[in-house]
Amino acid sequence: MKTITTTEDLAAFCQEAAKRPYVTVDTEFLRERTYYSKLCLVQLAYQDDKGADAALVDPLVEGLSLEPLYALFRDQGCVKVFHAARQDLEIFYVDAGVIPEPLFDTQVAAMVCGFGEQVGYETLVRKIAKSDLDKSSRFTDWSRRPLTDAQATYALADVTHLRDIYEYLSARLAKSGRSKWVAEEMAVLKDPETYQSDPENAWKRVKTRTQSGKFLAIVRELARFREDYAQSRNIPRNRVFKDDALVELASTKPLSENDLGRSRLLLREARKGDIANGILAAIKAGMAVAPKDMPKVDGSRAKLQVNPALADMLRVLLKAKTDDAEVATKLIATSADLDALAAGERDVAALRGWRREVFGNDALELCEGRVGLAVKGQKVITVAL
């Protein structure tokens, strides 16, 4: 088992990996006590007819630079293979502004290949690699050193089995002509905006029961302050104050530290000092927002006149089409997308790219009354009207 602890050894491994058609990548990290993930381990493996190798990279070793790894990520001749890549990619983007290219996510590919909704790595290992994983080390503290043998074995399995999974899925995609489908899905993962947390829009994640502009203006300012504070100190946003406390503050509008002391939900440490000052300033700023600048909730979907019968028929059609294509239904359209289609909306993902080929064209025909649904044997089919 190889553990890389120097920049020179990492460079040598990455140079060898760059000669191969692909390299599998995984990470272990901690995020419970920080805003940004703390990278604790990187796992790498490659394999081709010239041989195979795998290694653990310890980024916590003083003096080790990940630049050789980032150079590999930029190498267009080597595919970087991940499973459920979103959080891994965020780490690398935040650290160095790097997004691996070309990129392949086996979770997305498995959904395209009929393995179900957001299939787990353990399931793919069992079904494709015909092996079992020891998950006992999954929730251990990856920042502690030295790593145990069990941790190292677990971590390495996350990239060694991934080689078999990638080769199986990529071959299946090539045979079915669906490689371009996965390539389209990679666009979101390769978009830098996916990993950028803008404090200005943080309020949109907070669930509220009112659409009052005045109330939302205070929510926006409180959420913006919380996001800025959490990012600048690299602490979880819930350590500043939680969503339920934010909504309470927006409702009660405290104007002094004494007022904050009467909050039922605010953490004790948030009732004084920098956080308290930030809260009071945010509430003051929110209350001063002019009506024209107050945030508005997008209520367009809520106002849609959904044809419930058509929405139900679209659900039946989606199930039939995804069963035929052996594609996860969630990858094609959400329930909200189907309701939007049934209300006459046409700006939905199901009508774009490969989704239109699988489902969208028939969905439009159904919406416009040109086809109906019928049962033939065990299948639901479309029939011209």
Side-chain angles (χ1 to χ4, degrees):
M1 189 176 298
K2 180 188 300 183
T3 300
I4 293 175
T5 58
T6 69
T7 305
E8 292 74 19
D9 286 347
L10 178 59
F13 186 93
C14 290
Q15 287 166 9
E16 281 300 312
K19 299 175 184 177
R20 272 61 180 187
Y22 70 88
V23 59
T24 56
V25 188
D26 192 34
T27 69
E28 305 299 339
F29 56 87
L30 295 178
R31 198 170 191 172
E32 290 80 5
R33 298 184 295 273
T34 58
Y35 183 92
Y36 299 107
S37 296
K38 178 181 180 180
L39 181 62
C40 299
L41 197 67
V42 181
Q43 303 97 281
L44 302 168
Y46 59 76
Q47 178 175 319
D48 62 12
D49 54 6
K50 297 178 182 178
D53 203 355
L56 305 178
V57 182
D58 189 348
L60 301 184
V61 173
E62 186 176 354
L64 184 141
S65 169
L66 291 179
E67 186 50 41
L69 177 63
Y70 297 146
L72 175 62
F73 284 173
R74 298 183 188 101
D75 190 316
Q76 296 293 309
C78 178
V79 178
K80 274 61 72 173
V81 181
F82 294 77
H83 180 82
R86 170 67 175 78
Q87 288 185 297
D88 300 318
L89 298 182
E90 181 182 29
I91 292 171
F92 299 128
Y93 180 79
V94 169
D95 183 59
V98 175
I99 297 176
E101 171 73 19
L103 176 67
F104 188 97
D105 189 325
T106 56
Q107 185 178 71
V108 174
M111 292 171 72
V112 169
C113 290
F115 282 87
E117 310 284 351
Q118 295 182 322
V119 60
Y121 181 65
E122 187 176 7
T123 299
L124 294 182
V125 170
R126 187 174 63 253
K127 291 185 175 182
I128 296 175
K130 308 300 181 186
S131 186
D132 293 313
L133 290 178
D134 178 5
K135 306 296 285 186
S136 60
S137 296
R138 183 177 183 182
F139 296 110
T140 56
D141 185 349
W142 290 99
S143 67
R144 296 187 65 179
R145 294 295 184 270
L147 295 175
T148 66
D149 289 343
Q151 283 180 306
T153 299
Y154 164 86
L156 210 56
D158 277 350
V159 285
T160 52
H161 292 307
L162 193 54
R163 296 178 303 200
D164 295 329
I165 293 168
Y166 168 69
E167 292 186 357
Y168 174 88
L169 292 175
S170 59
R172 185 162 166 176
L173 289 169
K175 184 177 181 179
S176 64
R178 296 182 180 181
S179 296
K180 64 177 183 178
W181 295 9
V182 175
E184 283 185 35
E185 296 308 298
M186 293 302 99
V188 174
L189 289 175
K190 291 187 292 186
D191 186 349
E193 289 191 7
T194 301
Y195 312 104
Q196 295 169 353
S197 183
D198 183 3
E200 185 68 28
N201 294 316
W203 69 277
K204 296 178 181 179
R205 291 194 300 266
V206 180
K207 294 181 179 179
T208 65
R209 295 182 178 180
T210 177
Q211 295 186 9
S212 161
K214 289 184 178 180
F215 178 82
L216 291 178
I218 300 173
V219 168
R220 181 177 64 187
E221 296 305 317
L222 284 167
R224 174 162 42 199
F225 161 69
R226 181 177 66 172
E227 206 73 11
D228 280 331
Y229 189 93
Q231 287 181 5
S232 65
R233 289 160 177 80
N234 195 23
I235 60 174
R237 61 176 67 90
N238 283 346
R239 285 268 302 276
V240 186
F241 46 83
K242 297 181 180 180
D243 281 4
D244 55 359
L246 189 154
V247 173
E248 180 195 45
L249 292 168
S251 300
T252 58
K253 306 178 188 64
L255 300 176
S256 68
E257 285 193 13
N258 285 337
D259 293 340
L260 290 178
R262 289 191 284 272
S263 168
R264 293 185 304 109
L265 302 174
L266 196 61
L267 297 171
R268 185 180 302 275
E269 53 268 31
R271 302 181 186 199
K272 58 184 179 180
D274 291 343
I275 297 179
N277 292 335
I279 289 173
L280 297 175
I283 291 171
K284 184 177 180 180
M287 293 175 65
V289 172
K292 64 182 180 63
D293 297 323
M294 290 176 180
K296 296 179 179 60
V297 174
D298 182 7
S300 58
R301 289 246 170 145
K303 297 176 182 177
L304 292 176
Q305 298 299 309
V306 178
N307 180 329
L310 179 56
D312 287 343
M313 293 176 70
L314 285 168
R315 286 170 172 78
V316 173
L317 177 65
L318 176 63
K319 181 67 166 58
K321 289 297 180 179
T322 52
D323 282 352
D324 286 346
E326 295 186 333
V327 178
T329 57
K330 183 183 287 187
L331 203 56
I332 300 288
T334 65
S335 181
D337 289 336
L338 298 180
D339 286 343
L341 280 171
E345 288 288 307
R346 295 298 178 258
D347 184 21
V348 294
L351 300 183
R352 297 192 291 270
W354 67 272
R355 291 174 175 81
R356 184 171 185 126
E357 176 185 339
V358 174
F359 169 73
N361 286 328
D362 286 318
L364 282 177
E365 293 282 292
L366 182 65
C367 290
E368 293 166 9
R370 290 197 285 267
V371 301
L373 300 181
V375 176
K376 184 176 182 180
Q378 299 296 314
K379 290 189 173 185
V380 172
I381 61 171
T382 58
V383 292
L385 296 178

